[in-house]
Amino acid sequence: MAFTRFAVAAALLQGAAACPGSRAHIRASAKVTAKFANTCEEVQNEILGRIRGDGGWVDPHNAGIYTLDSASAEKVEATRKTGDGKYTDKMDFAFAAQEDGSCEVSACSESQVFSIADFSTNYCNLHDLYCGTEDGCAMVTTEDLTYTEDVKVSLGAGKDKAACKGNQNGRAPQHDELGLAQAQAQAQAQA
């Protein structure tokens, strides 16, 4: 009987993005299930384009740096370092094409160090890679993405969309602004 329950539970979870895991026993995380009117190819191309920084796209949540770890038609794995380089999060996206041509994405982001309150960072790690024009996000490869999302976060983690827009909604800062910001950060670090 226990084996049957396990088999049923495993079947229900198949296709859903498993969380990437972390060495930190206590960590913040976010899980999202997003249902898109778009095809999985369109959604995945947009996510990959933003990870690469196509069209000058910059992470609007404090200019974090994304790195693609692996990609297939069914899954994308990525890493994001905070703009100051202090913290790293890992994330997984699983894509499931629906019969009507739409796409369901199951995604999870986890902090890689001890953390409880993440100020919505893990949610934004995911959301900022697929948010559409309705959320004020800059599109990279697609005209727009239309979706609904269900968000679950760990105790203490946040899921505030407004927190995801820390920097010009995905538009690259001007080079002078980058130089000034870097100079200010260096001056503060030396003080």
Side-chain angles (χ1 to χ4, degrees):
M1 187 75 163
F3 177 75
T4 304
R5 283 190 205 140
F6 175 76
V8 169
L12 290 173
L13 291 175
Q14 188 174 11
C19 287
S22 173
R23 291 182 183 203
H25 296 293
I26 299 173
R27 62 195 175 268
S29 65
K31 293 181 181 181
V32 173
T33 301
K35 297 179 180 181
F36 291 84
N38 308 72
T39 67
C40 285
E41 183 179 9
E42 290 172 318
V43 176
Q44 188 178 51
N45 285 340
E46 186 67 28
I47 289 171
L48 292 171
R50 292 183 192 188
I51 289 171
R52 288 188 305 262
D54 290 359
W57 187 86
V58 174
D59 173 24
H61 185 70
N62 304 317
I65 305 297
Y66 286 90
T67 304
L68 180 64
D69 297 330
S70 70
S72 69
E74 297 82 30
K75 189 172 186 177
V76 168
E77 296 175 335
T79 301
R80 179 187 177 272
K81 278 196 170 211
T82 54
D84 61 10
K86 290 182 180 180
Y87 303 103
T88 300
D89 302 320
K90 289 193 172 282
M91 63 211 74
D92 291 345
F93 294 84
F95 302 86
Q98 306 300 296
E99 287 184 21
D100 65 358
S102 65
C103 184
E104 183 170 304
V105 176
S106 299
C108 183
S109 175
E110 282 187 306
S111 297
Q112 298 300 297
V113 297
F114 173 85
S115 62
I116 297 172
D118 73 348
F119 307 98
S120 300
T121 295
N122 280 286
Y123 167 63
C124 294
N125 289 346
L126 304 170
H127 176 80
D128 286 346
L129 291 178
Y130 62 75
C131 57
T133 58
E134 186 175 307
D135 290 318
C137 296
M139 303 308 294
V140 173
T141 65
T142 312
E143 190 172 309
D144 200 3
L145 295 176
T146 306
Y147 62 91
T148 59
E149 63 185 355
D150 179 47
V151 182
K152 294 182 178 15
V153 296
S154 60
L155 182 65
K159 56 181 181 179
D160 178 14
K161 270 188 194 182
C164 299
K165 296 182 181 182
N167 148 352
Q168 300 184 23
N169 297 322
R171 302 229 185 267
Q174 298 300 310
H175 291 291
D176 290 344
E177 293 174 312
L178 282 175
L180 177 61
Q182 289 170 345
Q184 289 172 335
Q186 288 174 348
Q188 288 177 345
Q190 293 173 354

